[in-house]
């Protein structure tokens, strides 16, 4: 029997018992459907995170905060008037300890650090058009780490601290609210920012709109340049209180002014650690998020594997019953000269055909339903995260799922196929 005949007969024999085969295919369908969705979820979220990192990170800057205390001594810590202050508010960007002037001086003296920009937390009460009234004011949040990287711009340019003029990058949701026709027409316009100083006196400052940015998961709030931040922070600073910063941005410089390499970053991190400081890139911080996401997806994928394991027993049962029902047929094929290897291949291919059907149908169903779910989420709950496809069906991943399930089916069919191949033709022909 030629190879093509073996494949044709295996495909035909897989449907001899339509009900039994259908039930086995459905069990594989569940595993393939779930596994395809979980891999698509992981691909979608990780793709979005990677694109956001490329958007907000310049690749040559570190977020520097005081190192976490590892003091295990008993009793409270003694007060040091010249030491670091403790933050009175929760700070998601750093630890509960604040940087001081000595820390900034230490950072500036580290090889590989070109300049250090302390991040000051400023509070802006409202934003309005330059000639607007009180009714035109809208609340505004400021991204304290604007100088770390780039905004995901729709129009305009990035902030340029070198100009020395107050600049702002607004989120796209403010374009219509502030009366601009579109993102392009907002560039170059002036807006007024209102804030309250340390004496609880209302003040305002004007800033030029240099860019309009999309809403980002990792860089929320408007971006402002250093000159604007300095003015507001000085006005909001409490007299007599020493300077303290939630974190600092250390801009790196490669050897000879060249590109910053991973080795350069590692060396700077080591020097910061020696100074009781911690340096992290945006990639480091988002890596924690990706680890959590991958862990959740791994748990979901485990349920898919359990479903596939249960389905594999179904394949074994289906083929064992098929071998028993076709005992005389096996004896006749062997009596006519079919080798043990051909018999083994015939039944193994039946398992592979069943695995292909279950995996292909499950994958196609997952793609169809998942695409609808992804579109609905993008237009609804995830509308504020443009560019996020929560389910990303990569053809390579889908093909990998199908091949893995076909391999599982083949392995499951080995036992019944071996039993069929090792049957004695004389005994098989006598089987009733």
């Amino acid at each position: 029997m030629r190879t093509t005949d073996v494949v044709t007969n295996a495909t035909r024999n897989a449907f001899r018992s339509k009900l039994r085969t259908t039930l086995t295919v459905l069990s594989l369908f569940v595993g393939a459907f779930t596994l395809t969705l979980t891999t698509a979820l992981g691909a979608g979220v990780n793709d979005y995170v990677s694109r956001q990192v490329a958007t907000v990170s310049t690749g040559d800057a570190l977020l520097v905060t005081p190192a976490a205390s590892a003091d295990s001594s008993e009793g409270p810590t003694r007060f040091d008037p010249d030491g670091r202050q403790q933050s009175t508010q929760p700070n998601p960007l750093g630890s509960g300890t604040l940087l001081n002037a000595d820390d900034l001086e230490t950072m500036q003296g580290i090889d590989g650090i070109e300049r250090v920009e302390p991040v000051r937390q400023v509070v802006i009460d409202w934003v309005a058009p330059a000639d607007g009234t009180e009714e035109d004011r809208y609340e505004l949040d400021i991204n304290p780490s604007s100088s770390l990287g780039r905004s995901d711009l729709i129009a305009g340019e990035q902030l340029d601290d070198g100009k020395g003029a107050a600049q702002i990058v607004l989120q796209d949701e403010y374009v219509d609210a502030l009366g601009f026709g579109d993102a392009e027409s907002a560039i170059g316009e002036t807006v007024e920012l209102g804030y309250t100083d340390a004496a609880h006196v209302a003040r305002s400052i004007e800033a030029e709109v240099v860019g309009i940015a999309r809403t980002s998961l990792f860089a929320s709030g408007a971006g402002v340049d250093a000159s604007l931040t300095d003015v507001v922070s000085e006005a909001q600073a409490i007299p007599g209180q020493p300077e303290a910063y939630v974190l600092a941005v250390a801009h790196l410089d490669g050897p000879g002014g060249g590109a910053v390499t991973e080795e350069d970053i590692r060396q700077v991190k080591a020097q910061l650690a020696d100074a009781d400081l911690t340096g992290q890139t945006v990639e480091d911080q988002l890596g924690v998020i990706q680890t959590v996401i991958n862990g959740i997806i791994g748990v979901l994928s485990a349920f898919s594997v359990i479903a596939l394991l249960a389905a594999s027993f179904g394949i074994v049962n289906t083929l064992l019953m098929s071998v028993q029902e076709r005992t005389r047929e096996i004896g006749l094929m062997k009596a006519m000269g079919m080798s043990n290897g051909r018999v083994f291949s015939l039944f193994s291919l039946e398992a592979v055909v069943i695995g292909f059907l279950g995996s292909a149908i499950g994958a196609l169903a997952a793609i169809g339903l998942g695409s609808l779910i992804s579109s609905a989420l993008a237009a609804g709950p995830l509308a504020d995260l443009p560019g996020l496809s929560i389910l990303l069906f990569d053809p390579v991943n889908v093909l990998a799922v199908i091949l893995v399930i076909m391999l599982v089916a083949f392995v499951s069919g080995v036992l019944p196929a071996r039993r069929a191949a090792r049957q004695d033709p004389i005994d098989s022909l006598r089987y009733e």
Side-chain angles (χ1 to χ4, degrees), residues 11-31 311 314-315 317-319 350 353-359 361-362:
T11 304
R12 185 185 305 114
N13 292 335
F15 294 95
R16 279 195 173 187
S17 178
K18 293 183 176 59
L19 178 60
R20 193 164 60 213
T21 299
T22 300
L23 293 175
T24 306
V25 167
L26 287 176
S27 64
L28 288 172
F29 168 90
V30 174
I315 294 175
N317 179 66
T318 297
L319 291 183
E350 288 186 32
V353 169
I354 294 174
F356 172 75
L357 289 174
S359 60
I361 295 173

Side-chain angles (χ1 to χ4, degrees), residues 407-427:
L407 178 62
V408 170
F410 171 78
V411 173
S412 301
V414 167
L415 176 61
R418 286 187 61 188
R419 175 170 293 187
R422 298 168 77 174
Q423 285 189 5
D424 183 85
I426 296 177
D427 293 338

Side-chain angles (χ1 to χ4, degrees), residues 52-53 56-57 61 63 148 218 280-287:
Q52 289 295 307
V53 168
V56 304
S57 174
L63 284 174
L148 173 63
F218 308 111
Q280 287 186 312
T281 62
V282 173
E283 290 83 351
D284 293 334
Q285 293 194 332
L286 297 186

Side-chain angles (χ1 to χ4, degrees), residues 172-320:
D172 55 355
E173 61 183 350
Y174 286 92
V175 172
D176 292 335
L178 296 178
F180 302 123
D182 53 33
E184 290 290 346
S185 63
I187 305 303
E189 296 293 333
T190 301
V191 294
E192 185 179 9
L193 306 176
Y195 62 96
T196 304
D197 65 13
H200 301 287
V201 176
R203 296 190 183 187
S204 66
I205 183 174
E206 291 188 345
E208 178 188 357
V209 179
V210 297
I212 300 296
R214 298 180 181 87
T215 301
S216 171
L217 181 61
F218 308 111
S220 60
V224 294
D225 71 325
S227 62
L228 190 151
T229 303
D230 290 342
V231 171
V232 178
S233 63
E234 288 177 7
Q236 294 181 339
I238 300 175
Q241 182 175 347
E243 291 188 1
Y245 313 97
V246 292
L247 54 86
V249 179
H251 295 271
L252 309 185
D253 186 18
V260 178
T261 65
E262 290 293 332
E263 179 61 22
D264 296 332
I265 295 176
R266 188 191 66 77
Q267 292 180 3
V268 171
K269 286 182 178 180
Q271 295 179 72
L272 288 171
D274 292 338
D276 196 27
L277 299 168
T278 299
Q280 287 186 312
T281 62
V282 173
E283 290 83 351
D284 293 334
Q285 293 194 332
L286 297 186
V288 177
I289 298 176
Q290 287 181 304
T291 299
V292 174
I293 292 172
N294 291 334
I296 295 173
I297 293 172
V299 172
L300 295 176
S301 298
F303 289 104
S304 306
V305 173
I306 294 174
L308 290 177
L309 181 62
S312 66
F313 288 108
I315 294 175
V316 174
N317 179 66
T318 297
L319 291 183
L320 282 176

